Amino acid sequence: MSCKKTISALLGLLVCSTIVAWAYPSGITGVTRKSGGSGCAGCHSGASIDGLVTISGPTSLKVGQAGTYTLTIGSGTLIGCDIAASSGTLAKISTALRLADGELTQSQGLTGTSVQFTWTPSVAGAEMLYATGARDSKKGGWGHSADFGVIVTPAGLSGIDQEETPATFSLDQNFPNPFNPSTTIQFSLPRSAQVSLTVVNLIGEKVATLVSRRIEQGTHAIQWNASGIPSGMYFYRLEARHDAESPGQAFIQVRKLLLLK
Ligand code: HEC
């Protein structure tokens, strides 16, 4: 290699490493559990403390409705973080945060015990917020938060409302089926009812709660986004009960669906 080439290569290396060194203090993305959870280790020593940070905020939202969330550190000072969502749009409220690659991370001078941000879901289903944070200093330890589930219902849940009131309770076969990763489940209520619509796996464990609230009479459709859930056969179960009825009188119907990835 000629002398000139060596010098320009060295200069290039210097510029690159400077960019890297300056890039990381103002945050890093792609290290939450959403992306495999490599966290802040590797580059920062200090123990991984599970649940060091906690996400709080609304656990149910409608598509397009912004929710305000807080990331709080359990002990010490929050000096850095990475916040990600399974879908939708994150935006900062705290000025020490900045948006990069669709995730939120620190900009500069983040100190305190919490930061605030908003999340606006774009699809209905069981969605998830993820966060990783670090405390005190580069060696102060870091940790992932527990994954924070949010049930997102369509903007107008009565998406396929009919003119006339359905005569009977019913739960239709989801469509498409098999599906990946989204499917629509439609059900009809002859009168308003307390509705629970859940998805369980073959051994009866709940994998998603799609609806858990009072819903008006009519035919309703809800979209389920099953990204993050393994392929397989699942059951979806509708339970609808009028206020005046006892649990024993509830309408219950179960159907199968097939997620193929
Ligand atoms: C790929 C390597 C890498 C990862 C992963 C990483 N950092 Fe850093 N971080 C750096 C580098 C490099 C610096 C700047 C040089 C230095 O200060 O050591 C830095 C600096 C910082 C600073 C500036 C303040 C200080 O003490 O110097 C904070 C705060 C910070 N990182 C937080 C985090 C948090 C929080 C995470 C995990 C969510 C994280 N980092 C993950 C490489 C990384």
Side-chain angles (χ1 to χ4, degrees):
M1 207 190 277
S2 77
C3 186
K4 256 190 182 168
K5 272 188 186 155
T6 313
I7 288 172
S8 60
L10 278 174
L11 270 177
L13 199 68
L14 191 70
V15 169
C16 284
S17 56
T18 311
I19 290 171
V20 167
W22 282 106
Y24 287 127
S26 51
I28 190 157
T29 56
V31 298
T32 66
R33 281 214 180 105
K34 181 191 176 185
S35 335
S38 56
C40 318
C43 309
H44 297 282
S45 54
S48 149
I49 306 159
D50 230 28
L52 177 68
V53 287
T54 313
I55 301 171
S56 57
T59 53
S60 65
L61 286 175
K62 288 180 185 237
V63 170
Q65 178 194 6
T68 299
Y69 292 88
T70 306
L71 182 72
T72 308
I73 193 142
S75 64
T77 304
L78 183 67
I79 57 155
C81 62
D82 178 16
I83 301 165
S86 54
S87 66
T89 311
L90 289 163
K92 68 172 181 176
I93 295 179
S94 301
T95 49
L97 290 178
R98 70 184 184 98
L99 189 69
D101 311 319
E103 301 187 358
L104 289 170
T105 185
Q106 79 269 13
S107 49
Q108 26 53 36
L110 173 56
T111 52
T113 52
S114 66
V115 283
Q116 280 204 307
F117 59 97
T118 63
W119 176 60
T120 311
S122 56
V123 292
E127 295 300 303
M128 203 70 88
L129 296 175
Y130 308 84
T132 303
R135 73 173 176 195
D136 300 344
S137 73
K138 276 180 290 181
K139 297 190 172 78
W142 63 275
H144 296 298
S145 71
D147 300 347
F148 189 86
V150 183
I151 301 303
V152 182
T153 46
L157 182 61
S158 330
I160 313 182
D161 254 3
Q162 290 168 343
E163 294 293 307
E164 70 274 37
T165 303
T168 54
F169 282 107
S170 66
L171 177 65
D172 295 351
Q173 187 61 52
N174 64 302
F175 58 93
N177 189 50
F179 69 100
N180 178 29
S182 281
T183 189
T184 300
I185 296 170
Q186 192 174 309
F187 57 90
S188 298
L189 309 174
R191 52 189 180 274
S192 66
Q194 199 61 44
V195 172
S196 146
L197 179 62
T198 53
V199 182
V200 299
N201 63 18
L202 290 177
I203 57 168
E205 290 167 344
K206 195 190 288 183
V207 296
T209 300
L210 305 183
V211 180
S212 175
R213 64 182 180 92
R214 191 184 162 73
I215 291 184
E216 291 308 305
Q217 62 194 52
T219 299
H220 305 277
I222 183 160
Q223 211 196 350
W224 182 39
N225 181 339
S227 50
I229 290 177
S231 286
M233 170 92 76
Y234 293 88
F235 297 102
Y236 58 104
R237 176 181 189 276
L238 177 79
E239 182 172 336
R241 183 161 62 86
H242 195 256
D243 297 332
E245 289 164 347
S246 69
Q249 288 174 287
F251 166 84
I252 295 175
Q253 191 170 354
V254 179
R255 283 182 177 274
K256 275 184 210 164
L257 51 73
L258 187 60
L259 172 60
L260 276 187
K261 292 192 173 170

